[in-house]
Amino acid sequence: MQTTQFQNFIGGRWVSSESGNSYPVNNPAFKNVILGTAQRSDIVDAKRAIESAHQALSRWAETPAPQRGTIIYRAFELLRARKSEFAKTITEEEGKSLSDALGEVNRSMNILEYAAGEGRRMFGQTTPSELPNTLAYTTRRPLGVVSIITPWNFPLAIPSWKIAPALICGNTVVFKPATSTPLSGINLVSLFEEAGLPPGVLNIITGPGSAIGDTLVTHPMVKGVSFTGSTDTGSRLYSMGARQLKKVQCEMGGKNAVIVLSDADIEKALTAVVEGAFGSTGQRCTATSRLIIEDAIYDNFISALIDMTKKLRIGYGLLPGIDIGPASSEEQLEQILRYIELGKVEGATLAYGGNRITGAEFDQGFYVEPTIFTDVEANMSIAQEEIFGPVLTCFKVKDFAEAISICNNVQFGLSSSIYTRDLSKAFSYVNQVEAGMLHINAPTLGGEVHLPFGGTKASGVGTREQGTEAINFFSEITTVYVDYAG
Ligand code: UN1
């Protein structure tokens, strides 16, 4: 069988890397299946892409925003028509279940639809001036060429929620998708090509970040960088960009907690914890990785949680009824298994799971059991570090105050959730918890596209993503004073 070769898209043309090097893209459920090859780009390709974006900039920036919006809206319509095809690609290259992948496509559609509409808003301010006969207002300009660097776990949605606002603001884009999941990114770029985006406005180059990531940040023509990925890489890119006074936004790790108080709706909380901890194989920066339960309900909650977890159906994401697919790569599987071993060594109790799943079709992929640790102490590595897998660490607390203190006792601050019927505790939680996104009686996951997405502490730096915050990140505000007296 001939392998499909996927190319870079630079200056409106699909091209191979200058070196001619490529690499295989795998299916994490069938490690020997190659979905195609993608270009192994290097600095030469990165420079070409940046220069193409730079060339396309002035025309795109001068295109009226509502017209830019029309193209993005067309991309939204095309995506709606290709929903199942795009979802299938997500499952094949990333591993998540088809229903999760369809959810991701839906979310991407919402993003495109929303960003298209921003072309008719993108508001500035008008204010009174201190001076007579003076108009004072603000308007927006694009940053210029922006680099967009995305992870493998949401290979369509995260690129969509960075690219669409970047484009509507009039920037031109160089996009580097995660090495292991380039195909959804290529799908997205083809969609924009078909929607009529002018050549050079959106470019994609594939390949390892170690070869091209630094150039995408430090090249003098690049004015803004939007990155999602690990805290280590994010803080490195952020400091490189900051040294050159560039605008950089980084969405990074999470160690999100669900607090369940004794007055909670237990069924609702259980469903949220199982979905949050194990959905998408826990490979989500908003995944629930810590569970903090009040003493009075602890034992019953844990045993109901284990019962519910046992019912999850694990397997190839394209098969009907599958809840959880494999880990997204061998490397990821190894990281998860390493943390499970570490949890045991550190003295936590392995209450459920903990093994790689083997036998029959499972040997072909990177499957791991949903795993629950109890008797977890706040200073253990499994309580502090982002595992990025289906591993839940559980804490027993005496009261609300202790729950908040454990919740905040991590370097991360992305998302968090509380289950309670006590309004006063719920709002006291809102005031005290250190996280960018809070959920009351809802899972730690996700967010709506018209609201800011992002975290505090080591979870995020730079302007938040999505909603009008994304417009703030991808545009420069100009303040204008007009004396019209004469
Ligand atoms: C979600 O949880 O719905 O990398 C989206 C991540 C996040 C996106 C999560 N930036 O997992």
Side-chain angles (χ1 to χ4, degrees), residues 373-454:
F373 277 107
T374 52
D375 302 315
V376 178
E377 302 289 339
N379 60 358
M380 293 177 180
S381 320
I382 56 164
Q384 290 292 333
E385 292 168 27
E386 184 177 49
I387 301 173
F388 225 62
V391 180
L392 180 67
T393 53
C394 306
F395 301 79
K396 188 197 289 188
V397 292
K398 62 178 187 309
D399 56 17
F400 174 73
E402 191 185 358
I404 297 286
S405 134
I406 290 194
C407 186
N408 285 343
N409 180 21
V410 285
Q411 61 162 326
F412 298 108
L414 186 60
S415 123
S416 169
S417 147
I418 191 167
Y419 281 77
T420 181
R421 292 184 169 101
D422 184 327
L423 208 54
S424 148
K425 283 187 179 141
F427 279 97
S428 161
Y429 159 88
V430 168
N431 292 337
Q432 293 179 62
V433 164
E434 296 161 357
M437 295 176 291
L438 307 182
H439 301 264
I440 295 170
N441 299 320
T444 55
L445 304 172
E448 298 184 27
V449 303
H450 54 295
L451 288 156
F453 182 100

Side-chain angles (χ1 to χ4, degrees), residues 107 151 153-154 158 161 228 284-286 446 453:
R107 192 148 169 200
N153 64 333
F154 282 84
I158 295 178
W161 82 48
T228 298
R284 212 167 163 158
C285 63
T286 57
F453 182 100

Side-chain angles (χ1 to χ4, degrees), residues 291-439:
L291 173 59
I292 302 168
I293 312 172
E294 257 188 329
D295 202 353
I297 54 164
Y298 183 88
D299 291 338
N300 287 344
F301 196 92
I302 295 286
S303 77
L305 177 68
I306 292 173
D307 288 345
M308 201 180 253
T309 305
K310 279 184 186 154
K311 299 198 181 102
L312 292 171
R313 289 151 303 181
I314 303 163
Y316 181 38
L318 285 187
L319 296 175
I322 291 298
D323 299 306
I324 303 184
S328 198
S329 63
E330 188 153 26
E331 203 185 346
Q332 202 54 35
L333 173 70
E334 279 165 9
Q335 169 169 312
I336 297 164
L337 294 173
R338 219 173 23 247
Y339 271 110
I340 293 172
E341 280 316 304
L342 195 58
K344 291 194 250 177
V345 171
E346 286 180 318
T349 304
L350 182 60
Y352 184 75
N355 302 299
R356 180 175 185 169
I357 308 175
T358 52
E361 80 276 14
F362 291 115
D363 285 337
Q364 297 302 309
F366 309 123
Y367 294 95
V368 58
E369 289 172 340
T371 297
I372 301 172
F373 277 107
T374 52
D375 302 315
V376 178
E377 302 289 339
N379 60 358
M380 293 177 180
S381 320
I382 56 164
Q384 290 292 333
E385 292 168 27
E386 184 177 49
I387 301 173
F388 225 62
V391 180
L392 180 67
T393 53
C394 306
F395 301 79
K396 188 197 289 188
V397 292
K398 62 178 187 309
D399 56 17
F400 174 73
E402 191 185 358
I404 297 286
S405 134
I406 290 194
C407 186
N408 285 343
N409 180 21
V410 285
Q411 61 162 326
F412 298 108
L414 186 60
S415 123
S416 169
S417 147
I418 191 167
Y419 281 77
T420 181
R421 292 184 169 101
D422 184 327
L423 208 54
S424 148
K425 283 187 179 141
F427 279 97
S428 161
Y429 159 88
V430 168
N431 292 337
Q432 293 179 62
V433 164
E434 296 161 357
M437 295 176 291
L438 307 182
H439 301 264

